[in-house]
Structures are given as C-alpha cells and as structure tokens.
Amino acid sequence: MSEEPRDVFKLSRDWLSVQEVVDAVSSSTCGAISVFIGTTREDEVEGRKVVGLEYEAYELMAQSEFTRLCAEVRARWPTVTHVCVHHRLGWVKVGEASVAMAISSPHRHDSQQAIQHSISRLKASIPIWKKEVYDTEEASWKENAECSWSSSSREK
Amino acid sequence: MSEEPRDVFKLSRDWLSVQEVVDAVSSSTCGAISVFIGTTREDEVEGRKVVGLEYEAYELMAQSEFTRLCAEVRARWPTVTHVCVHHRLGWVKVGEASVAMAISSPHRHDSQQAIQHSISRLKASIPIWKKEVYDTEEASWKENAECSWSSSSREK
Amino acid sequence: MTAQVLVLYFAKSAELTSVREEVVAVPTSVSSQDLWTLLLQRHPRLSAVQGQVVLAVRQQYVDICDQLVALGDGDEVAVVPPLSGG
Amino acid sequence: MTAQVLVLYFAKSAELTSVREEVVAVPTSVSSQDLWTLLLQRHPRLSAVQGQVVLAVRQQYVDICDQLVALGDGDEVAVVPPLSGG
C-alpha cells in the first residue's frame, strides 16, 4: 500500500481548479484531504476600492522553497502523503482564488495541522509578491505579516 | 458588504463535487475557504479487504443536528461566514469521498479552526451510519470514537 | 394514557428488528429506560445492542435512563446506534 | 577577482530600477552589505527600500549584513522585497 510521496507546485496564469488540486493529492491510502483556498476580498483602502491583484514570482526559487517547505512538513508530520499547491500569477480579479493547497494523510489530524502550518510557511518563505490595484488605477505592494522582513515583523 | 450566512447541508447518493461545496461558501467578503474531504482508505481487516461502505442517515434529524452544529460554530467563531457539508448516502466505493465540508471566513485562522471542530462535531452528533463491506461479502457497522456512546468512548 | 408513536430503527438496530419503522402504542409519560424495555419486548434481538444505543425523541438525543419522556400521537422515536458518519 | 552575476529585481525593487534583470560585475568574495551597496550605487532609487529587503544568492535567502558571500560567473543574485504570496 506504500506510495511515492508527491510534492506538486504549479504557478498558473489561469483560473485555479480546486478539483485538480484535490485530485493531485488523493490516494487510496489516505482517509483525509485538507484544503485551503485563499481569495481576494472586496475591500476599500482609504476610500479606494480594490479591483484586483497583480502577482509575480521568482519562479525557480519558488519551486525550490516549496520543495524545502514540503521536506520540513514531512519531517514534522511523517504521515503526510501528498502535497499540492497551485498559485496564480499575473492579474487576479477580486473574488477569484489566488492559491489552493491540498494535503492528504491517512488520518485527518495530520493533514489539518500540516495545512495550517504550510500556509503560514508559504506566506513566510515562498518568493511571490502581489500588488493591490485600486479603482483609481493606483496600486500598492502588499507584505505578509508572516514574512520575517516585512514592516509588521520589523516593528516587533 | 454584509451577507446572509448560509448553512448548506446535502445528503447525496451521487459522487461529491468539491467545486460545488467550495462554490456554496464563497463570498466576496471572505479571504479564506477551508475544506475537508473524507474518503475511504484501502484497508484490510483481519485478512478481509474493504471494498466499500454503505451509508444511511436519519435524514431529518441529520439536518436539524447540522443546523445546531452551525449555530455552535458561529457562536464560537463569529466571523465564520458560510458552512457547507455534502455527505454521501448508500454505496460508496473505496477511494471515493464520503464527506466534503467547506467553511469560509474573512481571515484564515477562523475557518481553519472552525473546520477542525466541525468535523469532530459532525462525527459526534450527526445521525449517519456506515457499514464496512468486505470482499468476503461480510460487513460490519463502524463507530466513531467521537460519538459519546461508541464502544471506544464507553471504555474510557 | 397511551400515544401512538412512530418508532424508527437505524443501522444495526434495523438489522436486528428487520423493520425500519413501525407505529407503537406507548405511555404518554414514560422513562426512556422503560421505553427501551418496551421496544426490547417487541424485538428481543435488540438485546444484542443493549447498553450500546441511545434514543432520539422528536429528533433530540435521549440517554436510556430514568429521565421521563412525554410522548404524544405521531411523535417520532428512534433507536440510535453509535454514529459513524464522516 | 570579479565575477559576472545575473541580478534579478522583483516587485517594488523592479519598479525602482526599471529593470527586471541585468549582468553585474561583483567581487568573488563580498559581504552581503557591500553587495547591496554596489546595487544601490547602480540604482540610487533602491534607497527607497533600504532596510526593507533581503537578497537571495543562488536561490538562498541572505540577510543584508556582514556575512561574506562567495560568487562565481553566472550566479544568480536577487533583490527580494517582503513577500506577499498566498
């Protein structure tokens, strides 16, 4: 019943398929699949309305940081079977998914804990950036609080 | 930006669509959707191979217990926006999803914590039963450890 | 005073009784223990799950104990083996 | 000794330099602080993100500090503003 672990990372300019991410981690040895989907909320920032996000990535390093993230997750939760992340690049309209992550494991607690940790680690270490674009055509680069060199981390 | 909270519960004899469960909770006010999918593992029990599961439910009470579960989750995590559960009835082959649950919230920690809690509560309180069916044509009724009157709980 | 209630059997209890539902005459005020005993008399094979089930009265769980249950015509009572959804 | 490295700029740093990548001659052994100073001299507008970025050398994060970095021809160096993926 053993199965080669899969770590699947894809940067995509198209709409994300949740089913595809789930299928990438499904396994006859796993009773549990935990999934996280991150989307852009409708938001107003100082009277300007967010219309979408523009994403870019350091693509090769994003892949190598993902591989490192998976190794760390497997060391901590050895029963994690497969991990899959699809992340958008380029223009993402408000309301569309920017990231979809799925993790499978034989029992649910492992995949549930692993996915919480993995989303935090993704935000802290995978070189991807987004710019919020407003209806005024202005834009501003965002910073994850999880990133150790973000301004919110520096203030601590 | 306020939106009427949705609590969607469906018992289904068909294949579960993860996309449908996700779409049922998506909202322009939510940045996070957490999903859990439970499937049947390939398993051998005393030399017999599990080929599938046969589910049944006390359908009306399952709906009312789900409503109660949602109220409890919203009391504890007031930012939870929508909750959706699709659960299979009847015959489910090994490897197919038996349950898919999705919860949306503005920020990810709420939906992540709420989904862990909700899956435990579902197993403890929603009147659904499954019988494991083996390749020998034998079968046995399962009991969730989370159910307060299961034999594993009684032993405690 | 008796009431005609609809008794539902699920999972293993339905296998033991060989019926999924039936109308049963029960006292309008009865402990859940006595209600269970009454069902056991109708279906002696239910003794196989003695101590392993709870009841549901009007879709609310009720432990089998001394607690009094008020019942009226048409009320739903269910025999509820340990749950295994999910 | 100098090496020809490929320097990549991302997000706000790419907006400030107006280039996404360029080949730069750098010492083969240099502190990450001196490497950053060298990039600042090429692109004075990068001072807007001074203290708010790290570097990546051959796809490994390196804080801007006294730490020595060994560089060879063709190595990749990146200016990495705070991350905002997810």
Side-chain angles (χ1 to χ4, degrees):
Chain A
M1 312 234 294
S2 79
E3 204 174 343
E4 203 58 36
R6 289 192 296 270
D7 296 341
V8 182
F9 182 72
K10 190 172 115 182
L11 293 165
S12 156
R13 295 187 169 268
D14 299 324
W15 182 84
L16 301 184
S17 159
V18 180
Q19 193 66 55
E20 204 181 313
V21 175
V22 168
D23 290 344
V25 303
S26 65
S27 157
S28 58
T29 65
C30 286
I33 298 176
S34 288
V35 183
F36 178 81
I37 298 157
T39 59
T40 314
R41 275 172 295 144
E42 264 178 25
D43 214 353
E44 284 204 15
V45 178
E46 294 157 12
R48 302 170 300 184
K49 205 170 155 182
V50 178
V51 292
L53 299 166
E54 182 73 34
Y55 277 95
E56 63 175 80
Y58 185 178
E59 301 198 28
L60 279 176
M61 185 171 170
Q63 177 65 62
S64 63
E65 285 294 322
F66 173 70
T67 303
R68 188 191 298 257
L69 185 160
C70 290
E72 184 199 306
V73 165
R74 291 175 190 289
R76 190 150 162 193
W77 291 279
T79 63
V80 157
T81 306
H82 305 305
V83 181
C84 177
V85 171
H86 287 190
H87 198 296
R88 292 283 295 271
L89 282 188
W91 178 248
V92 179
K93 271 190 301 191
V94 160
E96 288 185 4
S98 309
V99 63
M101 175 185 276
I103 294 181
S104 57
S105 61
H107 301 285
R108 76 179 191 283
H109 293 293
D110 301 301
S111 69
Q112 286 180 332
Q113 288 172 19
I115 203 151
Q116 292 201 35
H117 180 80
S118 299
I119 285 285
S120 293
R121 295 299 302 144
L122 180 151
K123 288 176 162 260
S125 73
I126 297 195
I128 299 176
W129 298 269
K130 64 170 161 258
K131 188 162 72 171
E132 228 170 46
V133 180
Y134 308 104
D135 55 355
T136 56
E137 291 178 33
E138 292 166 293
S140 72
W141 290 100
K142 306 298 288 178
E143 301 187 4
N144 290 335
E146 294 85 351
C147 173
S148 60
W149 62 99
S150 71
S151 54
S152 61
S153 294
R154 286 193 307 269
E155 282 159 14
K156 279 174 195 161
Chain B
M1 312 235 294
S2 80
E3 204 174 343
E4 202 59 36
R6 290 192 295 270
D7 296 341
V8 182
F9 182 71
K10 190 172 115 182
L11 292 166
S12 157
R13 295 189 170 268
D14 299 324
W15 181 84
L16 301 184
S17 160
V18 180
Q19 192 66 54
E20 204 180 313
V21 175
V22 168
D23 290 344
V25 302
S26 65
S27 157
S28 57
T29 65
C30 287
I33 298 175
S34 288
V35 184
F36 178 80
I37 299 157
T39 59
T40 314
R41 276 171 297 144
E42 261 178 27
D43 214 353
E44 285 206 13
V45 178
E46 295 157 11
R48 304 169 301 182
K49 205 169 154 182
V50 178
V51 292
L53 300 165
E54 182 74 33
Y55 277 95
E56 64 176 78
Y58 184 178
E59 300 199 27
L60 279 176
M61 185 170 170
Q63 177 65 60
S64 63
E65 285 293 321
F66 173 71
T67 302
R68 189 192 298 257
L69 185 159
C70 290
E72 185 199 306
V73 164
R74 290 174 190 290
R76 190 151 161 193
W77 291 279
T79 64
V80 158
T81 306
H82 305 305
V83 181
C84 177
V85 171
H86 287 190
H87 198 297
R88 292 283 295 269
L89 282 187
W91 177 247
V92 179
K93 271 189 301 190
V94 159
E96 287 185 3
S98 309
V99 62
M101 175 184 277
I103 294 182
S104 57
S105 61
H107 302 284
R108 76 180 191 281
H109 292 294
D110 302 302
S111 69
Q112 285 180 333
Q113 288 172 20
I115 203 149
Q116 292 200 35
H117 180 81
S118 300
I119 286 284
S120 293
R121 294 298 302 143
L122 180 151
K123 288 175 163 260
S125 72
I126 297 195
I128 299 176
W129 300 268
K130 64 169 162 260
K131 189 163 71 170
E132 228 170 46
V133 180
Y134 309 104
D135 55 356
T136 56
E137 292 178 33
E138 293 166 292
S140 72
W141 290 99
K142 305 299 287 179
E143 301 187 4
N144 290 335
E146 293 85 350
C147 174
S148 61
W149 62 98
S150 71
S151 55
S152 61
S153 294
R154 287 192 306 269
E155 282 158 16
K156 281 175 195 163
Chain C
M1 291 262 294
T2 63
Q4 302 287 319
V5 300
L6 180 66
V7 181
L8 308 175
Y9 301 94
F10 291 100
K12 192 169 184 183
S13 70
E15 287 182 353
L16 292 167
T17 60
S18 304
V19 294
R20 295 222 147 246
E21 54 179 78
E22 61 183 350
V23 174
V24 179
V26 299
T28 52
S29 179
V30 61
S31 73
S32 56
Q33 176 64 63
D34 289 348
L35 189 55
W36 170 247
T37 303
L38 196 150
L39 298 175
L40 260 182
Q41 282 160 357
R42 291 180 74 88
H43 302 285
R45 294 183 64 206
L46 282 177
S47 62
V49 292
Q50 172 88 35
Q52 300 167 30
V53 297
V54 301
L55 301 180
V57 175
R58 292 180 298 275
Q59 300 176 23
Q60 304 269 344
Y61 294 117
V62 177
D63 280 335
I64 294 174
C65 63
D66 294 338
Q67 193 190 326
L68 282 183
V69 174
L71 291 165
D73 283 337
D75 277 352
E76 233 173 68
V77 170
V79 174
V80 181
L83 308 179
S84 45
Chain D
M1 291 264 292
T2 64
Q4 301 287 319
V5 301
L6 179 66
V7 181
L8 309 175
Y9 301 95
F10 291 101
K12 192 169 183 182
S13 70
E15 287 182 353
L16 292 168
T17 61
S18 304
V19 294
R20 295 222 147 249
E21 55 178 77
E22 60 183 350
V23 174
V24 179
V26 298
T28 52
S29 179
V30 61
S31 75
S32 57
Q33 176 63 64
D34 289 347
L35 188 53
W36 169 248
T37 303
L38 195 150
L39 298 175
L40 260 183
Q41 282 161 356
R42 291 180 73 89
H43 302 285
R45 293 182 65 204
L46 282 177
S47 61
V49 292
Q50 172 89 34
Q52 300 168 29
V53 297
V54 303
L55 301 180
V57 174
R58 291 180 299 276
Q59 300 177 22
Q60 305 268 344
Y61 294 118
V62 177
D63 281 335
I64 294 174
C65 64
D66 294 338
Q67 193 189 326
L68 281 183
V69 174
L71 292 165
D73 283 336
D75 277 353
E76 233 171 68
V77 170
V79 174
V80 181
L83 308 179
S84 45

